[in-house]
């Protein structure tokens, strides 16, 4: 665990964020009294599409073939 005062945290924010990314715990203190903790944000869990329990395949986002595009442009 690393504890830094507010002024040091302001001056070294990028360095402290890199430490958090490595897994270190960083506590920010005012006058030696801990007031905040920096911690990494967890990746959000995958969400379901509305009330349906289905997934959209990656191929859905691929470009349509020319013949398909032509049929939609009629």
């Amino acid at each position: 665990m690393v504890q830094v005062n507010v002024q040091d945290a302001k001056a070294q924010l990028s360095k402290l964020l890199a430490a958090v990314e490595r897994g270190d715990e960083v506590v920010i203190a005012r006058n030696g009294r801990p007031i905040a903790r920096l911690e990494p944000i967890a990746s959000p869990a995958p969400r379901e599409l509305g009330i349906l329990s289905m997934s959209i395949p990656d191929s859905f986002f691929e470009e349509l073939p020319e013949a398909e595009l032509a049929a939609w442009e009629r």
Side-chain angles (χ1 to χ4, degrees):
M1 178 184 82
V2 177
Q3 181 170 317
V4 296
N5 283 318
V6 174
Q7 292 299 323
D8 294 332
K10 287 180 182 181
Q12 302 176 14
L13 183 59
S14 293
K15 180 181 168 185
L16 295 174
L17 291 175
V20 169
E21 287 177 324
R22 288 190 308 269
D24 296 340
E25 181 179 334
V26 176
V27 174
I28 300 174
R30 180 179 291 132
N31 298 325
R33 194 179 110 237
I35 58 170
R37 177 180 25 244
L38 293 178
E39 60 184 44
I41 295 177
S43 298
R47 293 176 49 186
E48 289 186 15
L49 181 59
I51 60 171
L52 303 174
S53 59
M54 61 181 263
S55 62
I56 299 172
D58 291 337
S59 62
F60 177 81
F61 299 101
E62 293 175 0
E63 196 169 312
L64 293 174
E66 290 298 322
E68 181 79 19
L69 288 173
W72 281 96
E73 293 177 355
R74 284 190 209 167

